[in-house]
Amino acid sequence: MQSSADILKCIWTSAGGDPAALGRVQLTGEEPQIPSSFRVAVAGQTTIAAAGLAAAEIWRLRSGEAQDVSVDMRHAVVECRSERYLRVDDKPPPPAWDAVAGVYRTGDGRFVRCHTNFPHHRDAVCNVLGCLPEREKVQAVLIQWKGEDFETAAYAAGGVVALMRSYDEWSALPQARALAELQLVSIEKIGEAPAKPWPQGLSNSDRPLAGLRVLDLSRVIAGPVAGRTLAAHGADVLLVSGPELPAIPWLTIDTGRGKLTTFIELKSEAGRARLRALLKDADVFSQGYRPRALAALGFAPEDAAQISPGIVYVTLSAYGHAGPWAERRGFDSLVQTTTGFNQAEGQAAGIDGPKELPAQMLDHATGYLMAFGTMVAKARQAREGGSWHVRVSLAQTGRWLWNLGRLDGGLNTPDLTGDAVHAAFIESMSSGFGTLKAVRHSAVLSTTPAQWSRPAMPLGSHPAQWPARS
């Protein structure tokens, strides 16, 4: 079984990273850290370390000064559950799931998982089933369905659900075979452009990404975690949302640390013009919208490269950019269900039915890989020129996690208690919501410590403009 150092080396060198930089990384801690038969703690540690090392390398490129990076495994896996440890004025999070969300049994003895946290997704499920949004009524109708038939019908109606599959069942699907041909993090040149020099005027108090402008068009966890990570290393991250777009408030608070946040109505021409103006002066355009949604509005990768030559365009998807499911919507919990994790974890626990991973690890690890790919591509742009497209997916991260191997007896590991976490890894800060107690970033850089210099604020709190570069 590969060590943390070997796993990090594979991530780093597969994206063209200098192997010599790995000598400046220290990974501490032993697995398992939380109860799972999968190597979730190592996955968190190595993806966070990859992003931290990329930031350190950018600092070296900009300042000429190398620095060390360390990541503790326990701190990393805690950060990969940051939303559950967040406190606002000492209040714990509300229930994470809508009342209809979760697992149901179907008439053919299978299990399906419904994700209904957004009202339009809940409505789609209930419209297909012809029932009220009440758990008992949904189950009563689903027992008359075959699992795969419901999955197909719900997606066609705009819902997001997943049939629980074994890993072998998933691996036999064309989508799994398509993923096997893709990189964990895809970085491709999509246009010609001159190299854009790094913003000038770096000071001793700056961080690696100082002056870098990032448009963050993402919601829920993975994309927002990527933006939060870039902000921790000094980027100016502007979260673009819309007043009518559904959001999950607790996640907005947790992932909003370090960001500016504005509303732009992209369905209007005035809104699209505003986004184009911001894009012209951006270095990174990071988005996790449903496949093709932004392309229909004039913001496909190729469009962005014309509007802003030299842009690093970053795409997050559920199931990857190739294969018959490339346009299928999805979330971490659903990808876990359909790709074999829930069945395997349930089997390891000796239960009849699905068992979730003890963290939204596909989301969090993908978010850190997204930040890593963004920084690698930006460094390449500054060196070689060009416009670049970075692509990651929850399912591809899942494939990588599965291939890290399993832990015998891992489910017997005691879970981390809130008291232990709060004593070791939590910092207090003000915000637009009240006083936050939230998980510190776990990548420790020796010269440029990660920090969030802007407080989390309610969506739409700032104007749609960039702050002046100092």
Side-chain angles (χ1 to χ4, degrees), residues 196 279-283 303-312 387:
K196 294 168 68 173
L279 177 55
K280 284 181 181 178
D281 294 323
D283 300 288
D303 299 325
Q306 288 193 340
I307 296 167
S308 183
I311 195 72
V312 173
S387 298

Side-chain angles (χ1 to χ4, degrees), residues 116-197:
T116 56
N117 276 7
F118 291 158
H120 62 294
H121 291 155
R122 182 185 62 227
D123 293 346
V125 165
C126 293
N127 287 342
V128 166
L129 298 178
C131 70
L132 294 172
E134 298 173 16
R135 188 166 186 84
E136 296 77 12
K137 289 184 169 57
V138 170
Q139 179 60 83
V141 179
L142 269 175
I143 206 67
Q144 303 169 38
W145 281 73
K146 290 183 178 179
E148 190 169 1
D149 290 349
F150 172 65
E151 180 187 57
T152 301
Y155 269 109
V160 278
V161 304
L163 174 70
M164 188 179 82
R165 292 175 172 85
S166 69
Y167 180 72
D168 287 344
E169 284 181 304
W170 163 248
S171 299
L173 294 181
Q175 190 58 37
R177 295 197 293 272
L179 282 177
E181 302 299 318
L182 304 180
Q183 296 291 317
L184 177 60
V185 181
S186 167
I187 304 174
E188 297 175 341
K189 188 176 180 181
I190 58 170
E192 298 298 330
K196 294 168 68 173

Side-chain angles (χ1 to χ4, degrees), residues 1 4 16 51 55 80 95-96 159 186 204 212 277 305 330 355 404 421 433 435 444 446 463:
M1 196 176 286
S4 293
C80 289
S186 167
N204 290 336
L212 204 71
K355 181 174 176 56
L404 295 182
V421 167
F433 304 91
T435 300
V444 179
S446 60

